[in-house]
Amino acid sequence: MSQPILEVNHLQVHFFTDRGQVKAVDDVDFQVETGKTHCIVGESGCGKSVTSMALLRLVQKPGKIVGGTALYKGQDLLQMDDAQIRKIRGNEISMIFQEPMTSLNPVFTIGAQIMESLILHQHMTKVQAKAKAIELLQQVNIPRADKIIQEYPHQLSGGMRQRVMIAMAFACKPGILIADEPTTALDVTIQAQILEFMNELKAQYNTAIILITHDLGVVAEMADEVTVMYAGKVVESAPVTEIFANPRHPYTVGLLNSKPSIHETRPKLEVIEGNVPNPAHLPSGCYFHPRCKYARDDCRVTLPGLEELGGNTPHKVRCFYAGEVSK
């Protein structure tokens, strides 16, 4: 195993609202290894995106990082001052957001936006930055790259804008790329291309990827390690092969069983009954117990800890009855 490039320990992000304190991310741990892809999985509202935003200190009020560490190459991102984190953000750690139209500035050309980080972080001249911007667009298979750099975001399709975001993210050869649902708004063909580009660039630059997604098909294709989140907490973490072959949390099993398969015929897809709880009004005990068919009296009273399962493969589960759970 390679050395972790990022170690997140006991990360806590709370939102201080008029209705009280909301624990959006509560005691989250995970590690990311150099050159590997770590997927964070879960339904909307489970804390995935807030976790990723916290790593780059992009959580805005009323949100606040109230605890934990995020060690990048041994330095805690959460304790850096504004000048230090600005040197890291977009340079050593880049981010692709879910909807590129909200991330690209509509009043600047594509070229100007890519060149900005190259001039700021790589200290290139405008001529050098322009040539590099064209090269980056060509790497993600954007045709007429020398013309595209003169165009504005609204002149491009959704797939093209997402490729531009990938080109920008890899411009400074980052150690870590955070990708928040990078294929959600795209059709299946473009999704496959985007994931292929990310894998190719990861291999070329030996970049670690943190991929935020709810799509288990993407997880199966991209992940080395998987962290499953529910209601702000990690409920299961393991290598991707272990997650798919031997899931041990009822929520993980529910996610896997709700995915359609071309290898079997089912009269209808399985669903996880109910919804992710409101983080301002979490249930007592295990947060998943209102939706869980394995739930018993102790689940309704006590929140289980995240425990290591015995075996040759590292596998942690937050469930009292993990030994009884199977697909």
Side-chain angles (χ1 to χ4, degrees):
M1 293 177 64
S2 57
Q3 278 294 106
I5 190 171
L6 178 70
E7 296 180 76
V8 178
N9 296 300
H10 308 298
L11 178 64
Q12 299 176 70
V13 183
H14 295 180
F15 284 77
F16 297 86
T17 71
D18 294 338
R19 298 182 180 180
Q21 188 171 334
V22 176
K23 297 179 180 180
V25 176
D26 190 13
D27 201 25
V28 165
D29 297 350
F30 63 90
Q31 295 184 351
V32 183
E33 295 179 22
T34 301
K36 302 288 186 180
T37 298
H38 192 112
C39 282
I40 302 179
V41 185
E43 295 169 277
S44 296
C46 69
K48 309 185 302 294
S49 294
V50 176
T51 298
S52 66
M53 299 286 273
L55 298 178
L56 285 177
R57 303 258 298 281
L58 294 173
V59 176
Q60 297 182 342
K61 292 183 178 180
K64 185 179 180 181
I65 301 168
V66 298
T69 59
L71 299 179
Y72 169 68
K73 296 181 178 179
Q75 292 183 297
D76 189 359
L77 297 170
L78 308 185
Q79 296 299 321
M80 290 182 178
D81 61 32
D82 290 345
Q84 289 174 313
I85 198 66
R86 278 198 296 270
K87 289 180 181 178
I88 297 285
R89 192 190 295 145
N91 183 27
E92 296 185 47
I93 303 177
S94 292
M95 188 163 185
I96 302 173
F97 295 92
Q98 187 167 346
E99 175 43 61
M101 201 57 187
T102 61
S103 306
L104 294 170
N105 193 318
V107 301
F108 290 102
T109 64
I110 297 300
Q113 294 185 62
I114 299 175
M115 290 165 61
E116 180 183 19
S117 63
L118 293 169
I119 293 169
L120 177 64
H121 294 301
Q122 301 296 307
H123 309 295
M124 291 185 180
T125 65
K126 286 187 177 180
V127 173
Q128 291 171 327
K130 182 178 179 180
K132 184 63 176 179
I134 293 172
E135 179 188 331
L136 288 163
L137 292 178
Q138 290 171 338
Q139 279 187 305
V140 293
N141 285 1
I142 288 184
R144 304 181 302 106
D146 57 329
K147 299 289 188 285
I148 292 294
I149 62 168
Q150 301 172 37
E151 297 188 354
Y152 293 85
H154 73 272
Q155 295 176 281
L156 306 183
S157 68
M160 291 274 274
R161 287 195 293 265
Q162 198 61 289
R163 292 186 214 187
V164 169
M165 288 296 297
I166 292 173
M168 290 176 65
F170 279 97
C172 297
K173 302 179 183 178
I176 300 175
L177 170 68
I178 302 172
D180 187 1
E181 302 273 14
T183 61
T184 295
L186 307 175
D187 64 57
V188 176
T189 305
I190 301 301
Q191 281 188 28
Q193 291 178 4
I194 295 299
L195 296 177
E196 184 180 351
F197 296 147
M198 288 174 62
N199 270 333
E200 288 174 357
L201 293 169
K202 178 182 82 168
Q204 181 178 346
Y205 297 122
N206 200 31
T207 298
I209 295 178
I210 301 173
L211 181 59
I212 314 294
T213 186
H214 64 272
D215 188 332
L216 290 167
V218 171
V219 173
E221 182 175 345
M222 297 287 289
D224 296 295
E225 301 283 333
V226 180
T227 292
V228 182
M229 287 186 66
Y230 184 79
K233 283 192 172 292
V234 175
V235 295
E236 187 163 9
S237 65
V240 64
T241 51
E242 179 76 1
I243 285 285
F244 278 85
N246 190 32
R248 280 292 173 256
H249 195 280
Y251 180 59
T252 310
V253 172
L255 292 176
L256 291 169
N257 288 341
S258 65
K259 180 173 174 54
S261 172
I262 61 172
H263 302 296
E264 57 182 314
T265 302
R266 286 186 266 176
K268 64 177 182 179
L269 289 176
E270 293 187 34
V271 297
I272 305 173
E273 299 291 342
N275 298 300
V276 177
N278 183 334
H281 304 287
L282 293 168
S284 60
C286 175
Y287 297 161
F288 189 64
H289 87 253
R291 308 173 70 186
C292 181
K293 64 182 181 181
Y294 296 92
R296 301 174 192 174
D297 288 343
D298 51 348
C299 303
R300 298 177 179 90
V301 176
T302 307
L303 178 67
L306 188 65
E307 302 293 339
E308 184 83 50
L309 296 180
N312 298 325
T313 305
H315 193 159
K316 294 181 179 179
V317 182
R318 188 184 297 277
C319 181
F320 291 129
Y321 302 103
E324 301 177 18
V325 177
S326 63
K327 283 196 289 186

